[in-house]
Amino acid sequence: MSTERLSMRKTREVLRQKLLLGLSHREVALSAGVSVGVVSKVVERAEKAGVDWAAASALDDDALDMRLYGPRQSSTATKVLPDFVWIHTERKKPCV
């Protein structure tokens, strides 16, 4: 199960503090209210996408989200529905 995406406001703040101000991962994590691991992942995604602070500040939220995380995947398309007939027959059994 994947984790929830970081809001664009926090993502921009992490990138600003890391790329523009040059703070350490721990300082950014304390300031932004996220974990050090989240800071590392955001910075790593920005490096892979070739996003520096000038590019991040020039992009709008949707464009930055697409560059860092790619398109959103539909979670309902990957879910497998349970076998309701089997559930119904199992619940009919005694002591269930």
Side-chain angles (χ1 to χ4, degrees), residues 6-96:
L6 194 61
S7 70
M8 273 297 108
R9 176 175 283 168
K10 284 199 177 193
T11 301
R12 283 187 188 279
E13 186 59 22
V14 167
L15 291 175
R16 183 186 72 83
Q17 290 184 16
K18 195 64 188 152
L19 301 176
L20 185 66
L21 302 178
L23 298 177
S24 70
H25 280 36
R26 289 185 191 276
E27 291 171 326
V28 173
L30 284 172
S31 176
V34 295
S35 69
V36 176
V38 168
V39 174
S40 297
K41 287 181 182 177
V42 169
V43 171
E44 180 182 330
R45 284 182 180 273
E47 287 174 355
K48 283 183 181 178
V51 175
D52 58 351
W53 175 243
S57 62
L59 294 171
D60 64 341
D61 287 349
D62 293 331
L64 183 60
D65 188 40
M66 283 293 290
R67 295 254 326 247
L68 293 180
Y69 298 105
R72 291 189 180 262
Q73 296 177 353
S74 175
S75 61
T76 58
T78 60
K79 290 184 180 177
V80 177
L81 293 176
D83 184 5
F84 292 112
V85 174
W86 179 81
I87 292 172
H88 184 68
T89 56
E90 286 293 312
R91 292 196 63 199
K92 281 184 167 181
K93 291 180 180 178
C95 300
V96 175

